[in-house]
């Protein structure tokens, strides 16, 4: 069931989304060669607690294998759901950091792919095109369109650039639960799927690879990697469907103020 949000609910969701944005920026201060990924997780958990919110990912999932951390930290060929740990970041790595919080009964959930030090042009092009595809999809998230319009915009932009579009993982609705209806695939046909209505709140999240679209899950039951070990990028925003133009509740501005590495999408 799709749950349309009131303006007061959207205000609360914006607050949660902006806290995720600020948390990712706080984490960005520590991203450099030699840093262990578990350090980034500790920074995020502390920052969220100071802001009277709860990590949305920690403890999420099946009782016999809940997610163990505040952040999903996925390096290089890892697509999503990577565990923070003793891995030390290296120059040239790319690291997708996905963060979720619950505050005042509403969730925020979005992601950014960081470059550690300097990366080659092929890698930077992957990040650039993935980020472009996020905004291409969001442009289609307007009242009267359909889910397939978002999906097709992402797929077309990335496949025309020669990249793989992950099919087994999708975006989603968000609100009082971290995952709500509808699903938002990154591939599909125009004018197909559920119709978009103003007040729908979605997490749009392209997951794009330098190689093929196939993925596999590691033995930990969470970490998803590319089947061909190609690099993967992942960006995510929380949005509200509006008439004329979607509203983006989250922002990457805080991150880019810290990294001073705005990805050129022009």
């Amino acid at each position: 069931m799709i749950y349309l949000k009131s303006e007061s609910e959207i205000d609360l969701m914006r607050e949660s989304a902006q806290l995720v944005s600020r948390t990712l920026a706080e984490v960005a201060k520590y991203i450099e060669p030699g840093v262990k990924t578990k350090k980034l997780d500790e920074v995020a958990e502390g920052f969220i607690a100071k802001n009277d919110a709860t990590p949305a990912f920690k403890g999420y999932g099946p009782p016999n294998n809940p997610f163990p951390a505040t952040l999903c930290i996925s390096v290089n060929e890892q697509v999503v759901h990577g565990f923070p740990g003793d891995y030390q970041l290296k120059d040239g790595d790319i690291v997708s950091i996905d963060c979720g919080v619950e505050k005042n009964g509403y969730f925020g959930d979005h992601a950014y792919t960081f470059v550690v030090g300097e990366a080659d042009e092929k890698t930077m092009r992957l990040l650039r095109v993935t980020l472009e595809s996020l905004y291409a999809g969001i442009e289609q998230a307007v009242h009267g369109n359909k889910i397939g319009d978002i999906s097709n915009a992402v797929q077309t932009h990335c496949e025309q650039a020669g990249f793989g579009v992950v099919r087994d993982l999708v975006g989603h609705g968000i609100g009082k639960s971290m995952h709500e209806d509808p699903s938002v695939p990154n591939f599909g046909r125009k004018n197909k799927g559920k119709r978009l209505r103003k007040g729908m709140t979605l997490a749009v999240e392209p997951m794009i690879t330098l190689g093929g679209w196939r993925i596999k899950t590691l033995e930990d039951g969470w970490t998803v990697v590319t089947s061909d070990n190609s690099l993967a990028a992942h960006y995510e925003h929380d949005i509200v469907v509006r008439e004329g133009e979607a509203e983006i509740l989250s922002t990457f501005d805080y991150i880019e103020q810290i990294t001073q590495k705005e990805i050129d999408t022009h």
Side-chain angles (χ1 to χ4, degrees):
M1 181 176 177
I2 297 174
Y3 177 33
L4 304 181
K5 310 303 190 298
S6 68
E7 289 302 319
S8 61
E9 290 177 303
I10 290 168
D11 288 342
L12 293 172
M13 290 189 63
R14 188 182 297 107
E15 184 177 355
S16 295
Q18 290 284 313
L19 177 54
V20 175
S21 302
R22 291 190 291 117
T23 302
L24 290 173
E26 192 69 19
V27 169
K29 297 175 183 178
Y30 296 85
I31 295 176
E32 61 183 9
V35 171
K36 293 183 179 181
T37 55
K38 66 181 179 182
K39 171 65 176 178
L40 306 180
D41 194 67
E42 292 166 1
V43 169
E45 185 163 353
F47 188 79
I48 292 167
K50 287 179 183 177
N51 285 274
D52 301 318
T54 303
F57 298 166
K58 193 169 187 178
Y60 180 85
N64 62 335
N65 189 27
F67 193 79
T70 292
L71 300 177
C72 297
I73 301 182
S74 307
V75 182
N76 295 332
E77 77 281 0
Q78 296 177 351
V79 183
V80 288
H81 305 162
F83 288 1
D86 288 326
Y87 178 83
Q88 291 181 295
L89 297 176
K90 298 179 176 62
D91 187 61
D93 281 347
I94 58 173
V95 52
S96 163
I97 301 184
D98 194 353
C99 178
V101 305
E102 181 183 8
K103 186 176 175 69
N104 298 322
Y106 289 85
F107 285 83
D109 169 25
H110 56 278
Y112 192 91
T113 300
F114 296 87
V115 180
V116 182
E118 301 293 332
D120 60 33
E121 175 51 34
K122 181 171 64 173
T123 301
M124 294 305 297
R125 183 168 176 265
L126 170 66
L127 270 56
R128 185 166 56 247
V129 169
T130 304
L131 186 57
E132 289 170 350
S133 77
L134 171 65
Y135 290 111
I138 291 171
E139 285 180 3
Q140 298 300 316
V142 296
H143 180 78
N145 277 3
K146 293 188 175 180
I147 291 289
D149 296 313
I150 301 174
S151 306
N152 183 263
V154 173
Q155 179 182 14
T156 299
H157 188 79
C158 293
E159 290 186 345
Q160 285 180 346
F163 298 130
V165 178
V166 172
R167 285 159 166 71
D168 295 338
L169 300 165
V170 299
H172 51 89
I174 186 169
K176 289 184 176 180
S177 298
M178 188 165 59
H179 295 105
E180 297 183 351
D181 289 334
S183 295
V184 186
N186 295 307
F187 68 100
R189 296 171 58 189
K190 292 181 180 179
N191 201 35
K192 296 291 184 181
K194 296 184 183 297
R195 189 167 298 279
L196 300 172
R197 297 172 60 192
K198 58 184 180 181
M200 290 174 65
T201 47
L202 308 173
V204 180
E205 51 177 324
M207 290 157 275
I208 310 301
T209 81
L210 267 179
W213 60 265
R214 289 180 172 82
I215 57 175
K216 60 184 178 181
T217 302
L218 300 184
E219 290 183 359
D220 61 27
W222 282 98
T223 307
V224 176
V225 301
T226 55
S227 293
D228 57 8
N229 291 318
S230 62
L231 295 179
H234 174 214
Y235 292 93
E236 180 180 15
H237 267 317
D238 297 338
I239 69 165
V240 182
V241 175
R242 302 286 196 185
E243 291 187 355
E245 183 178 1
E247 178 187 356
I248 303 176
L249 298 177
S250 44
T251 181
F252 295 149
D253 290 351
Y254 301 126
I255 293 170
E256 289 159 0
Q257 289 168 11
I258 299 299
T259 64
Q260 298 182 332
K261 287 182 180 179
E262 181 176 358
I263 303 293
D264 182 8
T265 59
H266 302 289

